[in-house]
Amino acid sequence: MNEGYAKLVAEDLRLAVLQLLLRADGYDLNDRILSSALAEFGHRPSLDRLRSELAWLKEQGLIETRTVGGFTVAQLTPRGKDAACGRAQVPGVRRPEPDGG
């Protein structure tokens, strides 16, 4: 896969995760639900790939994670909410379109 294309896919995947968390009650979802819901955004990452992206988002301060019964639960932080809404630009995360897309 072309490096530029892979970067675009990763940035879009990260934005999709943040936007799914933004929609969730309590701003949190487990990795299995996220994996299934990402198909709505055209992403079908392996569970391993998703967990790697969650770790990256955590390193950037965009989410917090915890492990519950073998699931990784991700919760949106205020900085993550700003990135999901386009109020903050974070290198490595695609900025949403002004219409929310």
Side-chain angles (χ1 to χ4, degrees), residues 2 5 8-9 28 42 57 66 77 82 92 96 98 101:
N2 171 311
Y5 175 76
L8 291 173
V9 170
D28 63 353
L57 290 166
R66 64 187 186 280
T77 64
D82 286 345

Side-chain angles (χ1 to χ4, degrees), residues 10-77:
E11 290 174 350
D12 192 70
L13 173 61
R14 293 167 184 157
L15 174 62
V17 168
L18 296 177
Q19 289 183 332
L20 285 167
L21 293 172
L22 184 63
R23 295 180 186 176
D25 290 338
Y27 302 113
D28 63 353
L29 292 169
N30 72 52
D31 53 3
R32 305 301 193 303
I33 298 295
L34 276 168
S35 183
S36 295
L38 281 166
E40 173 185 344
F41 290 85
H43 293 283
R44 289 174 181 78
S46 66
L47 192 54
D48 186 55
R49 165 79 190 273
L50 177 58
R51 287 180 174 169
S52 293
E53 293 299 343
L54 293 177
W56 187 92
L57 290 166
K58 182 178 180 177
E59 287 174 8
Q60 305 309 307
L62 303 173
I63 65 170
E64 290 296 328
T65 61
R66 64 187 186 280
T67 303
V68 179
F71 294 89
T72 299
V73 178
Q75 183 165 32
L76 199 62
T77 64

